[in-house]
Amino acid sequence: MKWPSGWPTGLLALLIAALDSHWSSAPSVHALPGPAAWTSGRKLAVRYQVRELWHHGYDHYLKFGALMSIPHLNALIADCPFQLAPLSCTGRGPNWLNPADIAMNDVAGNFSLTLVDVLDTFVVLNDPPGFEDAVRKVIQWVSFDVNTKPQVFETTIRVLGGLLSGHIFAEKPGQPFHLPWYKGELLRLAHDLGERLLPAFHTITGLPYARINLRHGIPKGESTDTCTAGAGSLILEFGTLSRLTGDDRFEKAAYKAYFALWNRRSDIGLVGNTINIFTGLWTHPEVNGIGAGIDSFYEYALKWYILSGEVEFLDVWQDSYASVMRYSRASDGYWYRNVNIHSGDAQYSSVDSLSAFWPGLQVLGGDVENAVKSHLTYYNIWRGFGGLPEVWDMNFHQATSFQYPLRPEFVESTWYLYRATRDPFYLDIGERILHDISIRARVDCGLTGINDLRTNGRDDRMESFVLSETLKYLFLLFDEENQLHADDSHWVFTTEGHILTLDNALLRPISPARRKLRRVESLQCPAYSSPVLVYDEPHNHSRDSGLTGGITTRGDFEYARQLVGRVASENETRWWDPDGWCVLPKHDPYTYNFVLSAHGEVAVEDLSPSAEKLVPVADGYLVHNVTGIRVHIVSRLDGKGYDIAKLGPYAVKTGQKIYFNDSQLILAPPGSQSGSPNSPRTPEVQLRFYLDYVDPLLQLQGPGMHDVISETVVPAATAMFGGDPAAPLSPGDHPLRFGHGDGVHVTRIPDNSLGCAPYAEDLDGAAVVVARGECTFIEKLILAQDAGASGVVVLGTEEQHINPSADAEDLADAGPEINDVAIVVLRRPDAQLVADMLDSVERYGLGEVRLVVEPLDGGHVDANQPANEQKGEEAGRVKAEDPPRVLYLNNHPLINTRLLV
């Protein structure tokens, strides 16, 4: 069916509303829009639809693109396909009559752009005959000896990347796309193109011109401004070309250009959007964001590290990501602003469609949780239009540019998130995207871009990325058995969706000097947990086990819809519950800056610490005196805490450690005098939990009871407020009941598992066990004290110990009585052990568990792992080893630190 090129606005609005209503269902169900579960058969059916849509575009490109002919310019135009004009059913090439038409001429270089760009899509589609036919056509038709002036960036990512990917698959034996007759023709074409692009890099700074004539080089009077993405997103293709040909000029040029940009970053670690290639100065208005003009600069830092192992690109990725998360990320964590590169202040509230790649890059970098949030924003914008408008204003909740040229970025991120979470919600989104593109963009002669999403006004142009990226990622989303999904080698997709990989023989080993400096790279496994709807044990939320839900069951799922101002459809609201709620987002800053001092007082920054304070050592740095040293800490992606990324004047690399040997680093309650004899606190105490049997002759004899833990000793972190459970009593001191004498009874209140509500019962001197979360540590302790408890044991959720603190205002509100009770925190493995012990007692009715604080001179307990249970008849004391001692700042564990004091 051929739709009219422009629809009445009202009719289109009704269509979008109908589509949105059709694709909405209960928020408690995984498959939000889908009418049925995602069976293998359903995925295959959708995959077939994507394949058919792709061939509809490609076949018409071959049919009509090759017929393009302008009679009076025949001498200038080769008889080969350019881009497809799907409305007029003809080919489309450079605008020969208007060289200033950069919108067309930047990509249409008169060299069979679409044909080259789609080469490795045949690999994804598992179509060896189609791949071979396309390779033969490229060899027969393509030449770069043309008098055109395309953009260096677009030509590199679309054409050079396509040739390199095609060569890799055509040459590699042992896989279905190997061509025995192939003699490296694509690589020779790539090398020829690379040499024609190299003159663009002949500048003082090494930053390339944005455009170049492929036959004559740089024209006189060419613009000297370029964008960061254009100059900094060449290393994947140029580096691969150098590795495959042995000609290192290309990699050196791209490397120099990349670091010419990075070395000009601002003091807060942000690069600008545009730069003058001769002066090396950022041009007005000096803004940073994640969208157009900068986007793939970040992407190529991470992906070139993955592909080549060059660790300096990992450093750039980590540092630049930390700066973006600190300054560009909005306060709610769901979208990213354009900010001034020097101050970090917000400049614009617009979001462009190119930035929809960011959630996918976050997944690749390991930050799945933040990827889920940012993706939900783009998803809700899409639902309002049946496409993603080019520019969206977050403040005014409206689009300011309504084009949608079938860009791939949102589809790409959807694929990454599905591979990371396997949540069928993302399959539902993919099906919605396929349906919208099919309805709105499919015409008789191919696929057309949308000029106006409000009226469905169409553009007589099918961009090459529709076939090389958009439908490629959509196909992959539904193709569970695709060979790429089973390949865990270091291959990457370029920013144009081309598959690049390097044989191990082409990788360069890290130099001995750099290896000595960095030691072992400390890479992290990303942490993402599906929301738990019903816990296996309602009184113990620290286990994170139970009935889990998908993305649509997140408490903040509705927030993203409200954020973009999209009105909920009737089909959505009918699932709303009067007792339900929308969780307002809350997140910790991704980075912090501190000037250290031993006792928390304000210290003047030491800009050049001497060797008596701070010295480099073989595997990191050694700090003898913390006072005045500035540290920059960055959140870890595994959820375990933070790492120090900068220490004074030094950049701390992954794999390095910071050792603190300052004897002034002691725990003291806020407001105490460091010189008073009783102010220091022991940061950790040993707690002995033991089973006080009702009848010893009847215990541990029943089925399954041989696994019961009768006694265990675990380390616990003390707080910087309340009573000190390890402090020796002086004459006249009020005795602290918590863990002293024969110990105290340990209890757990299922109806108040977090300890954040007033207790209905009298705790009568017991130590109450609570889970971490929802309220502060001091609030947990005050509520327990009000109920008569002697103290609180918090089941922690982190692998490292955390010493709770409180500010002066909270302590003043609590009053001096807070010193009569104590609070301690167990790290996650030890919390699990104690929870198991309490479970057994409740299950078998074995009496009660009691807690004793072990004396400090009772022997050192040494270990790096949670306690190992001694079971059965030999069940006795189970001891735990101390984890590595790390430094804490504002209750944040710094995992790459070690305390030597």
Side-chain angles (χ1 to χ4, degrees), residues 584-886:
L584 295 179
K586 180 176 62 177
H587 66 269
D588 290 329
Y590 193 82
T591 66
Y592 292 90
N593 273 307
F594 293 96
V595 176
L596 299 179
S597 63
H599 304 296
E601 69 275 8
V602 176
V604 177
E605 181 179 359
D606 188 345
L607 297 176
S608 182
S610 66
E612 294 180 354
K613 271 191 174 182
L614 170 62
V615 292
V617 293
D619 59 344
Y621 302 93
L622 175 62
V623 181
H624 294 291
N625 183 350
V626 302
T627 302
I629 295 178
R630 180 179 292 276
V631 295
H632 179 71
I633 69 172
V634 178
S635 179
R636 290 173 60 91
L637 300 179
D638 56 11
K640 294 181 179 180
Y642 287 75
D643 280 335
I644 292 181
K646 294 179 182 176
L647 180 70
Y650 299 104
V652 181
K653 308 301 183 182
T654 55
Q656 292 184 318
K657 295 285 189 294
I658 301 99
Y659 299 93
F660 288 89
N661 195 34
D662 188 344
S663 60
Q664 296 298 308
L665 287 175
I666 52 177
L667 277 180
S672 65
Q673 299 297 319
S674 60
S676 62
N678 294 325
S679 62
R681 290 185 176 226
T682 304
E684 296 170 7
V685 294
Q686 303 296 326
L687 301 183
R688 178 165 61 91
F689 293 84
Y690 68 94
L691 189 55
D692 189 15
Y693 300 121
V694 174
D695 184 349
L697 297 179
L698 299 178
Q699 305 309 314
L700 306 180
Q701 302 298 319
M705 295 174 62
H706 61 281
D707 288 333
V708 172
I709 304 167
S710 63
E711 189 171 5
T712 184
V713 176
V714 296
T718 60
M720 290 183 275
F721 59 86
D724 184 356
L729 291 178
S730 301
D733 282 352
H734 183 74
L736 190 68
R737 292 179 295 169
F738 181 81
H740 285 188
D742 293 332
V744 294
H745 168 55
V746 178
T747 189
R748 195 165 53 174
I749 309 300
D751 294 336
N752 192 9
S753 61
L754 292 167
C756 295
Y759 292 89
E761 52 274 276
D762 183 2
L763 298 181
D764 192 24
V768 60
V769 174
V770 301
R772 187 178 178 190
E774 193 168 302
C775 59
T776 64
F777 289 107
I778 195 169
E779 288 173 331
K780 294 177 188 288
L781 186 57
I782 291 172
L783 289 168
Q785 183 182 33
D786 291 344
S790 62
V792 176
V793 178
V794 179
L795 302 178
T797 57
E798 296 178 304
E799 301 296 325
Q800 304 292 333
H801 276 153
I802 180 169
N803 299 99
S805 62
D807 59 35
E809 184 178 349
D810 289 337
L811 289 172
D813 292 340
E817 297 80 11
I818 198 69
N819 293 320
D820 296 336
V821 289
I823 184 170
V824 295
V825 183
L826 305 182
R827 63 192 180 107
R828 184 185 182 103
D830 300 319
Q832 182 70 60
L833 184 62
V834 171
D836 288 341
M837 186 177 184
L838 293 171
D839 289 345
S840 299
V841 169
E842 295 171 1
R843 184 180 304 116
Y844 299 116
L846 297 178
E848 68 177 22
V849 175
R850 298 186 71 82
L851 176 155
V852 174
V853 177
E854 295 282 79
L856 292 178
D857 57 357
H860 178 63
V861 182
D862 184 44
N864 291 318
Q865 304 175 11
N868 297 315
E869 300 90 341
Q870 297 179 21
K871 302 174 181 178
E873 297 179 352
E874 298 180 359
R877 172 176 290 191
V878 180
K879 294 188 177 181
E881 299 182 349
D882 290 337
R885 296 281 311 285
V886 301

Side-chain angles (χ1 to χ4, degrees), residues 251-267:
E251 184 174 347
K252 286 181 177 179
Y255 183 99
K256 183 178 180 181
Y258 192 92
F259 282 95
L261 293 165
W262 179 241
N263 292 336
R264 288 172 169 83
R265 65 191 181 277
S266 69
D267 291 340

Side-chain angles (χ1 to χ4, degrees), residues 417-685:
L417 275 162
Y418 177 66
R419 299 310 303 176
T421 66
R422 293 306 182 92
D423 193 317
F425 169 66
Y426 296 110
L427 297 177
D428 299 331
I429 294 177
E431 189 179 40
R432 167 71 188 263
I433 293 170
L434 174 63
H435 188 272
D436 288 340
I437 290 177
S438 299
I439 290 294
R440 306 192 66 162
R442 180 169 182 154
V443 293
D444 288 346
C445 295
L447 301 169
T448 177
I450 308 299
N451 261 338
D452 192 327
L453 285 165
R454 297 167 297 180
T455 64
N456 213 54
R458 289 164 169 161
D459 181 17
D460 193 14
R461 180 175 182 177
M462 185 179 75
E463 290 278 5
S464 67
F465 54 65
V466 178
L467 302 181
S468 70
E469 294 186 84
T470 305
L471 296 182
K472 177 188 290 179
Y473 287 121
L474 203 54
F475 184 88
L476 276 173
L477 180 63
F478 298 100
D479 190 14
E480 296 281 4
E481 304 302 321
N482 196 281
Q483 59 178 349
L484 292 177
H485 293 152
D487 185 355
D488 60 356
S489 65
H490 53 106
W491 65 272
V492 296
F493 278 126
T494 70
T495 196
E496 186 68 13
H498 294 306
I499 306 164
L500 294 183
T501 185
L502 291 173
D503 289 338
N504 290 335
L506 300 177
L507 302 179
R508 296 170 183 166
I510 190 170
S511 68
R514 187 177 294 169
R515 173 64 68 193
K516 183 178 180 180
L517 170 67
R518 302 180 71 99
R519 299 287 166 154
V520 178
E521 293 294 336
S522 179
L523 305 181
Q524 304 162 29
C525 183
Y528 177 77
S529 300
S530 298
V532 180
L533 305 180
V534 180
Y535 286 88
D536 286 334
E537 300 178 35
H539 54 273
N540 183 11
H541 292 186
S542 66
R543 299 191 180 201
D544 292 337
S545 62
L547 178 64
T548 60
I551 300 299
T552 61
T553 64
R554 290 170 58 105
D556 56 358
F557 181 76
E558 281 294 319
Y559 176 80
R561 178 191 60 76
Q562 184 184 33
L563 178 65
V564 302
R566 184 180 65 81
V567 178
S569 67
E570 181 180 350
N571 204 36
E572 287 176 290
T573 57
R574 69 188 181 93
W575 295 102
W576 288 0
D577 191 306
D579 298 322
W581 67 91
C582 173
V583 176
L584 295 179
K586 180 176 62 177
H587 66 269
D588 290 329
Y590 193 82
T591 66
Y592 292 90
N593 273 307
F594 293 96
V595 176
L596 299 179
S597 63
H599 304 296
E601 69 275 8
V602 176
V604 177
E605 181 179 359
D606 188 345
L607 297 176
S608 182
S610 66
E612 294 180 354
K613 271 191 174 182
L614 170 62
V615 292
V617 293
D619 59 344
Y621 302 93
L622 175 62
V623 181
H624 294 291
N625 183 350
V626 302
T627 302
I629 295 178
R630 180 179 292 276
V631 295
H632 179 71
I633 69 172
V634 178
S635 179
R636 290 173 60 91
L637 300 179
D638 56 11
K640 294 181 179 180
Y642 287 75
D643 280 335
I644 292 181
K646 294 179 182 176
L647 180 70
Y650 299 104
V652 181
K653 308 301 183 182
T654 55
Q656 292 184 318
K657 295 285 189 294
I658 301 99
Y659 299 93
F660 288 89
N661 195 34
D662 188 344
S663 60
Q664 296 298 308
L665 287 175
I666 52 177
L667 277 180
S672 65
Q673 299 297 319
S674 60
S676 62
N678 294 325
S679 62
R681 290 185 176 226
T682 304
E684 296 170 7
V685 294

Side-chain angles (χ1 to χ4, degrees), residues 182-301:
Y182 176 74
K183 304 300 180 183
E185 291 90 343
L186 298 182
L187 185 59
R188 287 196 290 275
L189 280 171
H191 189 267
D192 175 53
L193 177 59
E195 287 195 313
R196 294 174 185 273
L197 296 175
L198 271 182
F201 294 83
H202 296 165
T203 63
I204 298 172
T205 60
L207 294 167
Y209 283 93
R211 297 168 183 86
I212 189 171
N213 186 289
L214 294 182
R215 180 174 291 169
H216 303 296
I218 301 297
K220 189 175 182 179
E222 184 62 29
S223 171
T224 57
D225 287 343
T226 191
C227 68
T228 297
S233 305
L234 309 170
I235 186 64
L236 278 177
E237 293 84 2
F238 273 55
T240 301
L241 178 60
S242 283
R243 302 294 177 96
L244 293 176
T245 62
D247 187 342
D248 64 358
R249 293 177 298 160
F250 309 106
E251 184 174 347
K252 286 181 177 179
Y255 183 99
K256 183 178 180 181
Y258 192 92
F259 282 95
L261 293 165
W262 179 241
N263 292 336
R264 288 172 169 83
R265 65 191 181 277
S266 69
D267 291 340
I268 60 175
L270 297 176
V271 294
N273 190 292
T274 55
I275 193 170
N276 186 288
I277 63 174
F278 276 90
T279 66
L281 298 177
W282 300 110
T283 60
H284 184 77
E286 296 187 299
V287 295
N288 173 278
I290 61 169
I294 299 182
D295 47 7
S296 49
F297 175 83
Y298 305 116
E299 180 182 4
Y300 273 40

